[in-house]
């Protein structure tokens, strides 16, 4: 039985040895493309199978290891070559090592005193990413994800428009922000949290590629001003969630400059394209934005969570987080310049920079560039396979590595195509063969497969196409 006072007890040693042995086994099994990517059990089925209640007394180490075996067994194999569902996948082992060390050393990022080398590493990563964005005098902070990055963008924007709002509130001033109709839902969450009201987050129409139309933005800003409201921020997306489109940042920056609006770019997904000289032009104009969020836990494959928020002018974050000065029990005045706690919405904060730094050390800039280029070339390969197959429709020309597919066929009406497309997705998942996601474009379902897993290759893509076509064939004949 475990005794908390004995750090190196036999229990601990056996538990950790058992865990590390399972790490190798799990990584090996996940790489096997003939295994299932998911068991696809229902909620009830899984609940019935597992005994999860904690007891009055502790269990022995064998029971613990058997619990861990269950967990590994029931987990979706996100490193499996057929895992193409969200915008990340695979296991970056250097990053995994960083995650272990972060947990092992268990500290919090608020002060240099508590996280000395971690503070320097976070600064180094932020500086590296600021340079890639093209910010010369910026600053930044690690956050939990693009969602919180978008929230921080809006907070910084509000601070510039009404610096006093932090103290006195908005008192009768109706703030209005603008997003594209394809923006991620976290922008609504951010508007909700900030208290501007969801009706005051205006969706701007997109063109056929899914990019925001600048003239429509200009018109909407005019309408809001005429209504007596206060436009304060535009959120552009560099790599939308479904289509992967990039809003025209140069034109949007021009409008924001004239209208004195903050431009925040949600590059949670597309930020990684800055890592290759061959893809970085996709984000042309990002340096004109006032702030950017970028998720290394997406295309770069760093273990969740790993995300940065970057701002063009340093001093901004300390200003919006000024109330951290109240935390005299934690954040020392004398260390104000080095304690990152003064720049974060969080108090306790994980060391998320270490895993990114280790992965970057292992790969170098060139390693990142070739990973991103490989993803783009695989997305092109998948695109060409879709285009050349008479039963498949490429729903939108990809800008990133999102490939949006619909099953079509002779004599099928739209509603049949939609039900077959959804049926294919359901069958892929329930058979445990492939995980691709589904979404809607113009109200119709599509299969969205995303290339963001280093284990995906041409063979995987050929197998995906055959599976889609085979399932589609049998569903459409029913
Ligand atoms: C464009 C975009 N922005 C923001 C987010 C939210 O990011 P996170 O899950 O890191 O909060 C996502 C998630 O997929 C996204 O696609």
């Amino acid at each position: 039985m475990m005794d908390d006072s004995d750090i190196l007890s036999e229990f601990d040693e056996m538990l950790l040895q058992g865990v590390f042995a399972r790490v190798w086994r799990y990584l090996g099994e996940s790489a096997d493309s003939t295994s299932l990517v998911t068991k696809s059990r229902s909620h009830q089925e899984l609940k019935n199978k597992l005994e999860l209640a904690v007891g009055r007394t502790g269990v022995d180490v064998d029971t613990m290891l058997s619990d861990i075996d269950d967990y590994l067994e029931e987990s979706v194999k996100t490193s499996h070559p057929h895992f193409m569902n969200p915008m990340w996948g695979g296991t970056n082992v250097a990053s995994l090592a960083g995650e272990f060390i972060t947990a092992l050393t268990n500290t919090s990022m608020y002060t240099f005193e508590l996280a000395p080398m971690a503070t320097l590493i976070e600064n180094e990563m932020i500086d590296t990413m600021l340079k890639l964005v093209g910010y010369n005098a910026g600053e930044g902070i690690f956050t939990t994800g693009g969602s919180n990055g978008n929230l921080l963008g809006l907070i910084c924007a509000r601070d510039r428009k009404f610096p006093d709002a932090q103290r006195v509130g908005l008192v009768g001033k109706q703030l209005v922000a603008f997003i594209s109709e394809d923006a991620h839902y976290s922008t609504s969450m951010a508007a909700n949290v900030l208290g501007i009201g969801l009706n005051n987050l205006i969706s701007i129409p997109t063109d056929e590629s899914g990019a925001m139309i600048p003239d429509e933005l200009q018109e909407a800003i005019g309408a809001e001003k005429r209504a007596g409201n206060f436009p304060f921020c535009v959120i552009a997306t560099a790599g939308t969630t479904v289509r992967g489109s990039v809003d025209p940042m140069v034109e949007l920056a021009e409008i924001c400059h004239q209208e004195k609006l903050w431009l925040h770019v949600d590059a949670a997904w597309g930020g990684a394209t800055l890592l290759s000289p061959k893809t970085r032009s996709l984000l042309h104009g990002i340096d004109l934005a006032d702030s950017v969020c970028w998720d290394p836990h997406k295309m770069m494959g760093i273990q969740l969570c790993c995300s940065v928020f970057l701002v063009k002018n340093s001093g901004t974050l300390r200003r919006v987080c000024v109330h951290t000065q109240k935390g005299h029990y934690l954040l020392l005045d004398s260390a104000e310049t080095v304690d990152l706690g003064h720049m974060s919405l969080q108090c306790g904060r994980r060391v998320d920079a270490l895993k990114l730094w280790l992965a970057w050390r292992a790969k170098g800039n060139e390693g990142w560039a070739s990973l991103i280029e490989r993803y783009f070339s695989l997305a092109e390969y998948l695109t060409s396979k879709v285009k050349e197959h008479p039963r498949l429709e490429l729903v939108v020309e990809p800008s990133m590595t999102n490939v949006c597919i619909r099953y079509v066929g002779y004599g099928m009406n739209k509603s049949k195509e939609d039900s077959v497309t959804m049926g294919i997705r359901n069958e892929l998942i329930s058979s445990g063969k492939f995980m691709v996601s589904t979404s809607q474009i113009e109200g119709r379902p599509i299969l969205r497969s995303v290339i963001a897993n280093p284990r995906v290759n041409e063979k995987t893509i050929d197998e995906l196409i055959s599976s889609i076509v085979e399932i589609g064939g049998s569903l459409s004949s029913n």
Side-chain angles (χ1 to χ4, degrees):
M1 219 51 51
M2 187 164 140
D3 174 356
D4 280 347
S5 63
D6 182 1
I7 298 192
L8 296 173
S9 69
E10 199 184 339
F11 178 101
D12 295 341
E13 202 177 321
M14 284 169 66
L15 181 60
L16 285 182
Q17 278 175 359
V19 166
F20 281 113
R22 281 158 177 78
V23 169
W24 288 116
R25 203 167 68 209
Y26 183 79
L27 289 177
E29 283 167 5
S30 302
D32 173 10
S33 64
T34 62
S35 67
L36 296 184
V37 58
T38 173
K39 288 212 152 59
S40 198
R41 292 193 208 280
S42 70
H43 188 274
Q44 195 56 48
E45 190 189 348
L46 190 56
K47 210 170 162 192
N48 293 344
K49 178 177 181 267
L50 301 171
E51 176 50 71
L52 300 179
V54 291
R56 192 177 58 79
T57 55
V59 296
D60 61 20
V61 78
D62 289 337
T63 310
M64 296 275 293
L65 288 172
S66 145
D67 290 345
I68 290 168
D69 283 336
D70 283 344
Y71 188 85
L72 294 175
E73 176 115 340
E74 296 303 332
S75 291
V76 171
K77 304 291 176 293
T78 61
S79 293
H80 192 288
H82 293 184
F83 181 74
M84 299 162 77
N85 185 332
M87 304 166 114
W88 45 270
T91 302
N92 181 315
V93 173
S95 160
L96 176 65
E99 192 69 343
F100 287 150
I101 303 298
T102 285
L104 177 70
T105 51
N106 191 38
T107 194
S108 175
M109 286 304 307
Y110 25 65
T111 58
F112 176 78
E113 190 175 83
L114 275 165
M117 184 158 164
T119 299
L120 297 184
I121 288 173
E122 176 153 344
N123 288 337
E124 182 62 29
M125 287 293 88
I126 292 290
D127 286 349
T128 304
M129 295 169 89
L130 285 168
K131 278 194 201 107
L132 284 165
V133 166
Y135 287 167
N136 302 320
E139 64 185 7
I141 194 80
F142 276 66
T143 69
T144 55
S147 305
N148 282 347
N150 288 335
L151 173 62
L152 257 176
L154 276 191
I155 297 175
C156 291
R158 185 204 60 187
D159 188 66
R160 179 153 89 189
K161 182 82 182 172
F162 293 123
D164 224 20
Q166 192 180 94
R167 211 169 39 83
V168 298
L170 284 167
V171 280
K173 297 184 185 97
Q174 184 53 69
L175 287 179
V176 182
F178 304 86
I179 52 171
S180 97
E181 59 187 354
D182 275 13
H184 189 258
Y185 77 85
S186 58
T187 51
S188 303
M189 188 76 83
N192 177 7
V193 173
L194 202 64
I196 65 171
L198 292 181
N199 292 347
N200 300 301
L201 184 66
I202 311 289
S203 271
I204 304 298
T206 55
D207 62 20
E208 65 288 347
S209 77
M212 193 193 293
I213 302 172
D215 285 350
E216 298 271 0
L217 172 67
Q218 185 75 72
E219 238 172 72
I221 295 169
E224 290 302 324
K225 285 185 359 191
R226 285 192 297 280
N229 296 331
F230 294 87
F232 74 114
C233 185
V234 174
I235 300 183
T237 311
T240 57
T241 313
V242 179
R243 295 192 243 203
S245 352
V246 180
D247 290 337
M249 290 177 280
V250 174
E251 287 92 329
L252 300 186
E254 178 69 28
I255 295 174
C256 288
H257 184 70
Q258 275 165 19
E259 299 283 350
K260 298 193 170 46
L261 305 182
W262 184 278
L263 177 61
H264 170 71
V265 175
D266 173 354
W269 171 227
T273 59
L274 295 170
L275 295 164
S276 157
K278 293 193 180 142
T279 53
R280 60 172 289 120
S281 61
L282 284 167
L283 267 53
H284 179 56
I286 194 167
D287 54 316
L288 303 171
D290 296 289
S291 59
V292 169
C293 66
W294 168 358
D295 278 357
H297 67 216
K298 289 195 165 67
M299 210 184 294
M300 295 169 78
I302 302 301
Q303 263 74 12
L304 290 149
C305 292
C306 190
S307 179
V308 296
F309 176 78
L310 305 169
V311 60
K312 189 177 213 157
N313 293 316
S314 56
T316 311
L317 285 170
R318 276 168 206 281
R319 215 171 37 248
V320 303
C321 299
V322 70
H323 33 279
T324 57
Q325 282 164 2
K326 274 189 175 173
H328 49 79
Y329 31 80
L330 191 65
L331 296 152
L332 311 175
D333 275 354
S334 56
E336 197 171 312
T337 50
V338 291
D339 287 349
L340 298 182
H342 285 291
M343 298 162 70
S344 174
L345 295 187
Q346 295 171 247
C347 176
R349 190 163 63 91
R350 292 183 86 252
V351 178
D352 287 328
L354 176 63
K355 58 194 168 189
L356 177 61
W357 179 69
L358 287 176
W360 214 308
R361 295 278 276 186
K363 270 196 189 304
N365 297 338
E366 288 177 6
W368 282 130
S370 54
L371 179 78
I372 304 304
E373 287 158 21
R374 171 89 179 128
Y375 286 164
F376 273 77
S377 99
L378 285 168
E380 259 174 49
Y381 181 77
L382 174 54
T383 301
S384 69
K385 292 281 161 188
V386 172
K387 278 184 176 168
E388 73 197 27
H389 202 289
R391 287 285 184 268
L392 302 178
E393 178 190 332
L394 180 74
V395 181
V396 63
E397 204 58 53
S399 309
M400 295 276 155
T401 65
N402 322 31
V403 182
C404 299
I405 308 168
R406 178 176 297 129
Y407 188 87
V408 292
Y410 307 120
M412 288 205 293
N413 60 23
K414 283 187 178 175
S415 118
K416 178 76 177 170
E417 287 175 356
D418 292 351
S419 70
V420 172
T421 299
M422 280 308 292
I424 294 171
R425 202 263 170 174
N426 295 341
E427 176 61 25
L428 287 174
I429 303 256
S430 62
S431 65
K433 272 192 177 169
F434 269 97
M435 283 193 96
V436 295
S437 64
T438 179
S439 187
Q440 301 232 331
I441 292 183
E442 279 150 19
R444 298 188 61 199
I446 51 124
L447 300 173
R448 186 200 65 165
S449 59
V450 178
I451 313 285
N453 173 351
R455 289 224 168 98
V456 171
N457 57 29
E458 286 79 0
K459 183 168 163 276
T460 329
I461 290 173
D462 292 343
E463 286 168 3
L464 173 67
I465 295 283
S466 317
S467 300
I468 292 178
V469 170
E470 191 189 316
I471 302 168
S474 81
L475 292 178
S476 58
S477 62
N478 290 338

